Amino acid sequence: MYKTPCSRLSGLVGASLKQKLVQNIPRCDQTARSLIQLHRREPSNWLTYQHLSFLKRQYVAKNNSELHQRAIPKQEAVLTIVDERDDGVERQVQRIPTIDPVVADAVPQSEDVTNETPHVQVETDEAREARLDRQWKQLKVDVTDLPDIYARLAKIKLTALVVTTAAAGYAMAPVPFDPVIFFVSSLGTGLASCTANSINQYFEVPFDSNMNRTKNRPLVRGQISPLHAVSFALACGIPGVALLTLAVNPLTGFLGALNIFLYTCCYTPLKRLSITNTWLGAVVGAIPPIMGWTAATGCLQPGALLLGGFLYSWQFPHFNALSWNLREDYSRGGYRMMSVTHPGMCKRVALRHSLGLIGLSALAPVMDVTTWTFPVVSLPINLYISYLAFRFYRKGDRSSARKLFFCSLWHLPMLLLLALTCKKPRTDQEDAALPPASSSPLALQS
């Protein structure tokens, strides 16, 4: 119906505006009547609400937080228009200027506004180079920082726990204590743990960067290169497995190599695939005390499996309580943990294995590993961790999870210390019936 989209509103707005103009403008004002006649003849040129808004924005500018209205200079060009009501008289009216889009730079300056050059920040070459240097500064490895970097790469606290459990397994074995084999087996176990932890961090760099708990690890921060980390892992793993195999016995060396393989090639990728990674991780944590036992005896006995069972069951209340308060972190990293995908199962499994520690303690004297005193003296600490696990199962809040986790930190060394104190003594006939601990030169010399 109308020639332009803007003129669609003229049916209402334009008509009312024209009505008011007719009523308010004196009849003698021929210029206004000619203007009305002009818009009556051409609907596409009618004044609309949009025209008035554009005109207002075009002549109003902001300066020093005040609004100043600026008048547009008069146009010289005029248009001769014939008034239909008086054919014999020609009158001149001023042409209405064309409405152009408002451009910020095209706003006319008034006399009281100074011509100011717009502030454009120009970055010099030196400033740009300094900024890029701060963003992409190449980190240089300082030799004095390497011990701390290696310690964090090897997860030194976790490695110390692994060596402690292996030492406890060696001490619980029913053989005379050999300090040389004890030291070599502990050293080899520690080196194998350093290898597994370093390779684990090498694989998980893109995921560790999304977690608050792991975002400051050396590889994530770029303190060392991935090649440097892998070289450190090989430098620890090859001598570690060689020591366990050649200086202790092949069985302990095989268990050390198996543990590296399970931790790096099975547990690490499984963390992003299935919650069964927790059970596999518990198996990895249960092998070090078995390695200590086999390092002392040279064979795999029921007592070694019992110590491994202690570590296996202890890890569930320990890790499940830890992961409960880190659910957001594990979710950002994309790890499928029980606390993230199966929170109910996470609490049940922690309680189940806490109670299982009581049963395993009762089996120790049955398997001739400890005396009957051990189930009695270990019952209070086992009942306490089971009570905290039950509270965690019922409440499932951060406070109960935190208490269970901190209890697990002292529960394990206390349990192993009580088992060592209640170790069943061996007679000379029993010691003679045991197989030799190792056929290595170190064992023969000792």
Side-chain angles (χ1 to χ4, degrees):
M1 178 178 179
Y2 301 111
K3 296 182 180 180
T4 61
C6 187
S7 62
R8 293 192 185 101
L9 295 177
S10 62
L12 297 175
V13 180
S16 61
L17 181 61
K18 183 190 72 173
Q19 222 172 15
K20 290 180 181 181
L21 287 174
V22 172
Q23 293 174 0
N24 297 331
I25 297 177
R27 305 295 294 179
C28 59
D29 192 350
Q30 297 296 332
T31 303
R33 286 203 304 270
S34 300
L35 178 62
I36 294 172
Q37 293 297 329
L38 170 67
H39 288 283
R40 178 183 296 173
R41 296 170 61 186
E42 186 60 39
S44 62
N45 293 329
W46 286 2
L47 277 173
T48 63
Y49 179 75
Q50 287 88 341
H51 288 78
L52 298 178
S53 297
F54 273 117
L55 288 172
K56 181 180 179 180
R57 288 201 303 269
Q58 185 175 4
Y59 305 135
V60 178
K62 185 176 181 181
N63 182 40
N64 298 327
S65 302
E66 296 180 359
L67 293 178
H68 299 276
Q69 184 172 354
R70 300 185 176 93
I72 188 171
K74 292 184 178 181
Q75 301 287 336
E76 296 296 336
V78 293
L79 177 65
T80 301
I81 302 177
V82 179
D83 192 352
E84 292 180 349
R85 288 176 295 180
D86 190 357
D87 297 334
V89 180
E90 293 186 358
R91 305 189 182 275
Q92 293 181 344
V93 296
Q94 183 180 356
R95 178 192 293 271
I96 298 177
T98 305
I99 300 176
D100 297 327
V102 179
V103 183
D105 296 338
V107 177
Q109 298 288 338
S110 62
E111 295 179 358
D112 60 337
V113 179
T114 59
N115 293 327
E116 296 181 358
T117 305
H119 178 69
V120 179
Q121 184 178 2
V122 179
E123 188 178 28
T124 62
D125 294 339
E126 293 79 5
R128 181 175 178 274
E129 185 177 354
R131 178 175 58 82
L132 294 178
D133 184 63
R134 287 193 302 270
Q135 293 179 354
W136 303 100
K137 185 176 180 180
Q138 183 178 4
L139 294 175
K140 297 181 181 179
V141 180
D142 191 356
V143 178
T144 58
D145 295 336
L146 284 179
D148 179 65
I149 293 175
Y150 289 154
R152 287 187 291 142
L153 192 64
K155 300 180 184 177
I156 193 64
K157 293 181 180 179
L158 180 59
T159 299
L161 177 63
V162 169
V163 174
T164 301
T165 57
Y170 187 95
M172 288 297 298
V175 294
F177 184 79
D178 187 342
V180 177
I181 297 298
F182 173 78
F183 174 76
V184 173
S185 62
S186 299
L187 178 61
T189 303
L191 291 175
S193 176
C194 292
T195 300
N197 292 325
S198 301
I199 298 177
N200 170 263
Q201 292 188 47
Y202 169 77
F203 285 142
E204 293 184 341
V205 169
F207 315 118
D208 287 345
S209 61
N210 296 325
M211 301 173 59
N212 293 328
R213 188 173 66 97
T214 56
K215 65 182 180 182
N216 290 324
R217 286 179 173 176
L219 282 173
V220 177
R221 295 184 60 188
Q223 291 179 301
I224 59 174
S225 65
L227 179 61
H228 192 162
V230 173
S231 301
F232 170 75
L234 294 177
C236 293
I238 295 175
V241 175
L243 278 175
L244 294 175
T245 304
L246 303 177
V248 182
N249 55 61
L251 177 59
T252 306
F254 169 75
L255 290 175
L258 176 64
N259 221 20
I260 295 175
F261 172 77
L262 290 177
Y263 191 75
T264 58
C265 298
C266 298
Y267 169 72
T268 298
L270 198 61
K271 288 165 67 176
R272 300 179 55 80
L273 299 177
S274 172
I275 62 172
T276 55
N277 69 84
T278 307
W279 283 269
L280 183 58
V283 172
V284 173
I287 291 180
I290 300 177
M291 292 173 59
W293 186 288
T294 58
T297 62
C299 60
L300 195 60
Q301 296 175 330
L305 299 179
L306 177 66
L307 292 178
F310 278 124
L311 265 295
Y312 180 83
S313 293
W314 171 84
Q315 286 178 90
F316 286 97
H318 171 76
F319 180 74
N320 287 14
L322 172 66
S323 64
W324 187 265
N325 290 338
L326 297 174
R327 286 177 292 176
E328 295 83 2
D329 253 8
Y330 282 121
S331 179
R332 281 194 297 267
Y335 295 121
R336 297 185 63 84
M337 299 298 177
M338 274 192 290
S339 59
V340 177
T341 59
H342 299 75
M345 180 186 295
C346 177
K347 297 182 289 186
R348 290 195 304 270
V349 170
L351 176 60
R352 185 184 308 147
H353 284 274
S354 298
L355 295 173
L357 290 172
I358 302 176
L360 289 173
S361 299
L363 282 177
V366 177
M367 303 176 67
D368 286 337
V369 177
T370 64
T371 62
W372 284 99
T373 310
F374 174 68
V376 178
V377 297
S378 64
L379 184 61
I381 61 174
N382 287 335
L383 286 177
Y384 184 66
I385 194 173
S386 300
Y387 165 72
L388 293 180
F390 178 73
R391 287 189 58 187
F392 173 60
Y393 170 73
R394 291 295 301 271
K395 295 184 177 181
D397 55 357
R398 288 182 172 271
S399 177
S400 59
R402 190 181 301 109
K403 290 180 179 179
L404 178 60
F405 170 73
F406 283 113
C407 174
S408 66
L409 293 179
W410 60 261
H411 176 273
L412 179 64
M414 183 66 70
L415 185 67
L416 295 178
L417 183 61
L418 291 175
L420 184 61
T421 305
C422 301
K423 177 183 176 181
K424 190 172 183 178
R426 292 288 168 179
T427 61
D428 295 338
Q429 292 81 5
E430 290 175 338
D431 292 340
L434 288 172
S438 173
S439 57
S440 64
L442 286 177
L444 294 177
Q445 292 174 4
S446 61

